[in-house]
Each structure stands twice: as C-alpha cells, then as structure tokens.
Amino acid sequence: MRSPASVSDRSGLVAMTVDRILKPQSIAIVGASADPRSFGGFVLANLERFGYAGAIHLVSRGSSEINGRDCVKTVGELPEGIDLAVLAIPESGVLEAVRGLAARHTHAAVLFASGYAEAGEEGRARQDELAAVARDAGMLLLGPNCMGFTNFEAGVPVTFEPVQPYPCDGRPGIGVVAQSGAMAANLRDAVIGRGLPLTATVSTGNEASVGIEDVLAHYIADPQTRVIAVYAEQVRRPQLFLQLARQARAVGKPIVMLMPGKSARAREAAQSHTGALAGDHATASVALAREAVVLVDSLDELFDAAAILLRFPVPPGGGPAFMTGSGAMKNIALDFCDGLGLELPALTEATTQRLTGMLPGYAVAENPLDYTTIGVRQPGLIGEILLAMLADEHIGSLVLSIPAGPEVAQRDKAEHILPAIAQAAKPAVLVITGDNGPIEPFFVDAIRASGVPFFRSPDRALRALARVAAYGEALQRAVRASQGAAHALPLPAPLPPSGVFAEYQGKAWLAAAGIAVPEGALAGSADEAVRIAARIGYPVVIKAQASALPHKSDVGGVIVGLADEAALRAGWQELHANVSSHRPDLQLDGVLVEAMGARGLELVVGAKRDADWGPVVLVGLGGVWIEALKDVRLIPADMAEADIVEELGRLKAASLLKGIRGAAAVDVPAVARVVALVGEQMRANPQITEIDINPLVAYPDRVLALDALVVCNPAA
C-alpha cells in the first residue's frame, strides 16, 4: 500500500501526483458501454478520437467487447497498478468500485457521479467514506460530481462530453481549473473560440481528494501553461492556495479567478452546488489580491483578462490610452472609464509634441485621442501614432477602437495597423466595433495570426484592461509588502489574560504599540477621578470599564463634556446608576477618566483574523457614519504605508481627508501609520483576533484613538 503522503499539501509533490492523473499511461473505463451516448461511450470515443496511445481497459457487465476492445466484467479482473480509472457508473456502485480499485493498487480515479456533499449531510457522509477508502490506499480521486478533464497538451480527454483535439502547437497557453464542470466547459470553449492555445481544462467537482490547489500546483510546474484561469466557489485550503499564488507570481504566471459568493444567495447556491461551506468572501478577496490573484466579477472579464495576460503576463504599471477615429467614441470612453474608476493618464509633453506633428491641426493630442479621419488616406500613420502613445512613460496599456469598414479599409487595417499593435511591448488590444457586424475572413485570419487581443466591444476591452492594470499594480504592491515584511516585526506588548480587553487595557496596549490615545487614567473612586481630572484638565469624559462591557454606551456607561469637579462627581453617580440599572451583577474594574478630544474627522481602523485566510485590516469613515455609509476599505495586514495612503484616497469620502468647506486637511500619513501599526500588531500577535479603533480622530497634525476594542484568544 502506498503512503497517503502523496496527497499532502507539499505543492511540489502535489503537482507530481496530479501529473499522474492528467498524463496517465493506462486508463480503465468502469461502466464502459457500446451505447455511444452513455458516459462510458463518450469517454471511449474521446480517447479514440484523440488517438490516446496508452493502454485502455474496459469494465462492462453487459458487453464482452466494445469497438474491438475486450472487456472484463468486474474491477477485480483489472491489472494492478493502472494509472487512472474512470467511473462512468451511478452513485450506487461507486463505493464498491473504489474499494475494488484500491485493492488493485490503482493510482487515481475520476468520479462523474453526483449525489454526494452537494446533496446534503447524507451525501457528505457518503463522500467522506469514499475519501477515506482512497486516502488509506494512497489513491487520488478527481470528483465526485465532476466532468473530468481534457489535457489537450498531452492528448488525454477524460470527460463524458464529446471534445475535439485542439493542439497547442508548442505555444504557451491557458490552463483552466473549475469546481463546476459547466464553467470548465465554458472557459474551454471561450479559449478555443478565440484561437488561443489551451493546455488543459480540469473540473474538480466536490473535491473529495484532488482540489483546485492540486491542479494549480500542476499548472505552475507545467512549462507550457502561462496563464491559469480559475473558477472556484470555495477555496478549501486557503493557506496552500495563497502559497501557490506566491509561487505563480514569482514565476510570472498570472492567476485569473472568478469566485462568486458576494451575496448571501450566491453563498447558499454555492453550498447546494458543490457542497461548499462559503467563507468570508471579502476577507478571501483581500488575501488573494495581496498575492496578485486577478479577481474578476464576470465570465466576460475572466475570458478577456486571461486573453490579454496570455500575451502580456507581466504588465507594467500605468493606466490605459484610448485611441479612436470618432469623437463620440472618445466621449463614451471618458464616461465609461470614470465609472470604472479607471484613470486615463495625461500624456507627457514630449509625447504631445510628437503627436501634434502627426495629427491634423484641428485634432487635439491628448488621452483619449480622436485621430479624426487620417486613417482613410494614411492608414499607416495610425500605427505610428499608436506606438508613439505606447512609448509614453505614463501609459501602461492601449485600446484602439475602430469600425471594420469596407473591404478596402479592412485590408488597410490588416496590413498597417495590426503589425503595429502586434509589436507592442505593453498590453494593446484591438476593438472592432459594430457588435456582430461582419468582418472579412482575411481580416479575421490576420487578427488571429497576429496574436493581438481582439474585442467587439470597447466596454469589455476597458473592463479587462482595468483588471490587467490592477494586476500590474498588485505585482508592485507585493514587492513593496515583501520588502516591508523583511524588517523585524515589533515586539508585541504584553496581553491581558481576558478574551476581550477593557478599553483602558486596550488603549494601554495600543499606546505601547505607538498609537496615540487621550491622556487619562483608571479611577476607582470619585475622589480619584477628581484628582485625575485636575491633572489632565477639564473638560473630561468618563467611561465604565469591564472586559464584559465592550459596548459601554448601550448601558449609559459613557458621560461626556464634564466641565468641572461638580459635574464630574454628578456624572460619576449617574454613570454607576445607569450601569447598575442595566447590568446589576456586573463588577467594574473602575472608570476611565480622559481628556475630551477636540472635534476632528472621525475614522475607523480595525482588523480581524480569519481562521482560514489570516488577518485583514479595515479603514474608513468612522463614528456614527460607519453603519450608515459603510465607506471602508479592506486591505492586507502587511500593506506598505504609501499604498495605504492610496487606499485612503479611494474612499468615497476621500475629499474629507483633504478638507472641504473651510476645514483643514487631516494628517493622512499619520492615519496610514496607525493602519500599518494595527497590521503589524496583528501579524506579531497571533493571539489577537480583533482590533477596533472607532473613532480614530484625525487632525491636521496628528491622530488620536478615542475608543478601542481589542479581542484576544490566549489559546491561539
């Protein structure tokens, strides 16, 4: 019996084990049938159509031979050590077949049958039993509830859907992995429809054994795969996935990923479809984006971004240029980019002067650029203009949006414009407008031969380039974060033993971390409170303190604006009466007496530790506005301060940071520093599960944490 270590999380070993599935030297079809429309019939027809050269073994209860190939009646009659078995049988016979295959030392099996974890608790129990049998035998399972795979590169189609050979011709291509069989097929068809090279498509289904992480490891190691397209309803091994994403980033292989689950209904659908227990989508998105995974919102974006990144896997920073011969299209592009939050960078003075010499006097040399009608008489000039714009240091990519035009115009585009785009060193795409309007076959052939990313919609092209631009920025951010991570984390301040810190404990801990808090101290009596107030100065605020009272205002445990000793003593009595009324059994640690903070811009800075994805940090508009407006940004815990400043600029209320209606601008770098410090403490203290500073008041020259909640899990 082989060791189950073959299915461990060690990515190099995982890649080798999945390689055994995707490139088998021998295949058994359990449930082979002479019926050409049966699952087993489709698998056999696919293998024969692809000219699979390995050994094929057939198991069929009803046939002694199929297509001239001998059949055996049971799994027990198969040779030992077959690389891959395909179970094209109903769920009722799968467990017995898997046990039989395990006894024959079969290396792996593909399970098409459904009725497992996606069908509820009884199905999950059946799936767990299958997985245990395979694990004990050291056998890998792809599925259940999957459509198998097609390795186009190696010529191995193991799926019940009829597929045709599609050679890569040695070109680096796209590798597809999806938990949904239908999505794997959709992605496959989209890649083939564009004439792009495709190495393999894999459907992992319920992932009883082999998951997307294992296939991802295979693609990272595969020299023919340049871009990896992923559809995942749940990442079951988040830390391994992140580790693999770092490896993919290191070797220059973009991962483009569609992960539904933002809405509650989508999460419920994911659970019923794949048996996935959906996690926190927003937290997962932050962790994945930190590793430069290209997260998209639609299938169109998944197709389109993968197509562009296949040609330009390491895009530069900088926004896009937009070129057209239509003033109307220029205006549409301006509005559309504004809606996307996609900046169209201004051209440098040198580029502007160069373009002015090429354009007619009535054209304006700017981005977006309407080059007017010069293409009619000088089609080659459009290519020169395009290359001039791409040479601009501010420009990271380019969209050329033009109509097809009559046949003569299409020949001009094929002969003069396509070659210019094809030699671009930055992402450059061609849009032929007109929806499904006809394009001459010679022009279609020329576009495909050029390898230029091609669209019929400028909207889709710009959305895709927005993802590509974000990927370029993410690569640079990851480098900066790694440089920052190279520095030693601060020594963590001592942690109180309780799960929830009382505010005075949390503020003392934050102050030790370098975050400013109001001057004050804990009082055990009214007289002590008066002495503290005399030292720090009036007016003061008093707050009831106990770890069991994180939300003090709810019980009247906060009294503000106490201007003198008489007011403080009256407030002391009022506070204790309020707390006793609501929580008569609560024992207070004391009362925190603090100097009242001056009015400023109220922000929130928080962090939480996700059990699967690790820590993330939140920053945004705080105080009473956080619930009403939810204007926040979620960011990785190791983001560099300069990048945090950029994130603050993406808040809807970013203008408040700069000062409006006579208000002074606040100290944004100081805010960023607090955000970075919170992230540092989350990384340095695995016991901390949550930090909430609300409000963090920002002033023109400083910031001050007026309230703080810190939650600790001492056992972590």
Side-chain angles (χ1 to χ4, degrees):
M1 183 180 296
R2 293 183 308 282
S3 167
S6 61
V7 292
S8 76
D9 282 354
R10 290 174 290 171
S11 59
L13 192 54
V14 165
M16 289 189 287
T17 56
V18 173
D19 210 53
R20 193 74 172 267
I21 295 176
L22 299 183
K23 299 178 182 179
Q25 299 301 305
S26 55
I27 295 176
I29 303 175
V30 181
S33 171
D35 180 357
R37 299 191 67 81
S38 67
F39 279 14
F42 281 130
V43 173
L44 179 58
N46 283 334
L47 290 169
E48 292 179 340
R49 188 180 304 115
F50 274 62
Y52 174 68
I56 299 177
H57 305 272
L58 304 182
V59 180
S60 174
R61 294 184 183 275
S63 300
S64 59
E65 67 87 25
I66 298 172
N67 293 0
R69 300 177 184 272
D70 292 337
C71 302
V72 297
K73 298 294 184 184
T74 67
V75 167
E77 299 173 68
L78 288 171
E80 289 195 355
I82 289 174
D83 281 341
L84 183 67
V86 186
L87 274 63
I89 58 177
E91 180 274 326
S92 58
V94 169
L95 180 59
E96 178 186 356
V98 168
R99 284 175 171 154
L101 291 168
R104 304 306 293 164
H105 304 301
T106 305
H107 290 285
V110 176
L111 313 183
F112 295 147
S114 56
Y116 291 95
E118 83 284 357
E121 288 305 313
E122 290 185 6
R124 181 173 293 279
R126 289 193 294 271
Q127 180 172 309
D128 290 344
E129 187 175 9
L130 272 180
V133 170
R135 183 171 57 252
D136 290 344
M139 181 170 67
L140 294 174
L141 301 180
L142 183 63
N145 187 31
C146 78
M147 286 180 63
F149 68 90
T150 301
N151 188 338
F152 291 97
E153 181 187 351
V156 186
V158 179
T159 179
F160 57 80
E161 183 183 22
V163 289
Q164 298 294 328
Y166 184 69
C168 284
D169 298 326
R171 295 176 294 162
I174 297 173
V176 171
V177 57
Q179 289 168 335
S180 160
M183 287 300 104
N186 283 336
L187 288 164
R188 175 200 67 208
D189 292 347
V191 173
I192 292 174
R194 292 186 179 210
L196 300 174
L198 175 65
T199 55
T201 59
V202 183
S203 160
T204 58
N206 288 12
E207 301 184 348
S209 171
V210 173
I212 51 175
E213 298 86 1
D214 308 311
V215 182
L216 191 61
H218 165 80
Y219 284 142
I220 292 170
D222 178 27
Q224 286 301 113
T225 300
R226 175 176 284 177
V227 174
I228 305 164
V230 179
Y231 175 85
E233 289 165 356
Q234 184 198 25
V235 177
R236 289 180 170 85
R237 289 174 283 175
Q239 291 305 311
L240 176 59
F241 194 102
L242 294 175
Q243 174 192 336
L244 291 165
R246 285 190 287 275
Q247 292 179 15
R249 172 164 51 82
V251 298
K253 291 190 178 186
I255 299 172
V256 187
M257 183 173 182
L258 176 59
M259 184 176 61
K262 289 184 179 180
S263 67
R265 290 193 64 184
R267 289 192 293 272
E268 291 168 5
Q271 184 171 348
S272 64
H273 184 54
T274 65
L277 297 175
D280 186 329
H281 189 279
T283 300
S285 297
V286 170
L288 291 164
R290 159 65 179 83
E291 301 304 339
V293 174
V294 185
L295 294 171
V296 298
D297 289 333
S298 69
L299 280 173
D300 286 351
E301 290 182 4
L302 184 55
F303 304 150
D304 298 343
I308 296 173
L309 288 168
L310 179 63
R311 186 172 175 87
F312 303 98
V314 187
F322 189 89
M323 282 181 58
T324 180
S326 162
M329 187 62 71
K330 172 181 174 179
N331 294 334
I332 290 171
L334 281 167
D335 283 349
F336 191 77
C337 288
D338 185 68
L340 282 177
L342 185 61
E343 181 184 357
L344 292 166
L347 303 174
T348 64
E349 182 62 30
T351 303
T352 301
Q353 290 180 3
R354 185 178 176 189
L355 293 178
T356 300
M358 298 178 179
L359 296 167
Y362 52 86
V364 180
E366 62 181 0
N367 182 27
L369 176 67
D370 172 14
Y371 56 75
T372 70
T373 59
I374 59 172
V376 175
R377 303 181 70 176
Q378 296 176 279
L381 189 55
I382 297 177
E384 294 179 30
I385 292 171
L386 180 148
L387 292 175
M389 293 191 74
L390 278 171
D392 191 298
E393 63 187 32
H394 293 170
I395 300 300
S397 59
L398 182 141
V399 176
L400 175 62
S401 181
I402 51 179
E407 181 179 348
V408 64
Q410 293 187 39
R411 289 200 179 276
D412 287 341
K413 294 175 176 67
E415 294 172 6
H416 298 288
I417 296 175
L418 269 180
I421 304 178
Q423 65 178 285
K426 298 176 182 178
V429 305
L430 174 65
V431 176
I432 300 296
T433 55
D435 197 22
N436 290 324
I439 302 176
E440 296 291 339
F442 73 83
F443 192 22
V444 173
D445 292 343
I447 292 170
R448 288 203 170 192
S450 72
V452 169
F454 173 60
F455 296 83
R456 296 304 306 266
S457 159
D459 297 6
R460 282 185 62 167
L462 286 166
R463 285 187 187 279
L465 278 181
R467 299 299 184 186
V468 170
Y471 175 63
E473 292 177 4
L475 291 176
Q476 296 173 10
R477 282 188 173 188
V479 170
R480 291 191 289 269
S482 298
Q483 292 170 343
H487 301 300
L489 287 171
L491 291 174
L495 299 173
S498 63
V500 179
F501 293 18
E503 181 185 350
Y504 74 97
Q505 295 171 315
K507 282 183 171 176
W509 185 79
L510 290 175
I515 298 173
V517 299
E519 189 176 1
L522 190 69
S525 66
D527 289 340
E528 188 176 4
V530 169
R531 289 194 294 272
I532 294 169
R535 174 173 58 82
I536 64 177
Y538 289 97
V540 296
V541 56
I542 57 175
K543 304 178 184 181
Q545 298 294 295
S547 61
L549 190 64
H551 303 294
K552 303 171 288 293
S553 297
D554 294 348
V555 298
V558 178
I559 299 179
V560 302
L562 303 175
D564 52 32
E565 179 179 343
L568 175 55
R569 290 186 180 278
W572 182 276
Q573 297 298 324
E574 180 184 352
L575 180 145
H576 282 81
N578 291 341
V579 173
S580 295
S581 171
H582 288 87
R583 299 283 299 274
D585 298 328
L586 180 66
Q587 180 68 42
L588 295 180
D589 294 352
V591 174
L592 182 60
V593 182
E594 287 185 333
M596 281 285 293
R599 291 178 61 87
L601 179 62
E602 293 189 348
L603 303 172
V604 59
V605 176
K608 74 168 187 175
R609 188 179 309 279
D610 185 89
D612 294 323
W613 294 99
V616 294
V617 178
L618 173 149
V619 60
L621 208 61
V624 298
W625 301 111
I626 184 171
E627 290 297 330
L629 301 180
K630 296 180 174 61
D631 184 15
V632 297
R633 305 290 297 180
L634 273 179
I635 61 174
D638 63 351
M639 181 173 277
E641 287 184 42
D643 293 320
I644 295 171
V645 170
E646 288 189 10
E647 286 294 322
L648 289 167
R650 294 187 173 103
L651 290 167
K652 298 172 188 174
S655 59
L656 295 176
L657 300 171
K658 301 173 184 178
I660 59 173
R661 295 199 172 189
V666 303
D667 190 345
V668 173
V671 176
R673 181 60 186 149
V674 169
V675 176
L677 285 170
V678 167
E680 285 182 0
Q681 291 300 324
M682 291 297 289
R683 291 185 291 129
N685 292 277
Q687 304 98 318
I688 298 295
T689 58
E690 183 180 351
I691 298 174
D692 184 39
I693 303 173
N694 183 28
L696 176 77
V697 180
Y699 304 104
D701 58 347
R702 62 192 173 102
V703 293
L704 196 63
L706 294 193
D707 200 355
L709 172 70
V710 181
V711 181
C712 173
N713 178 7

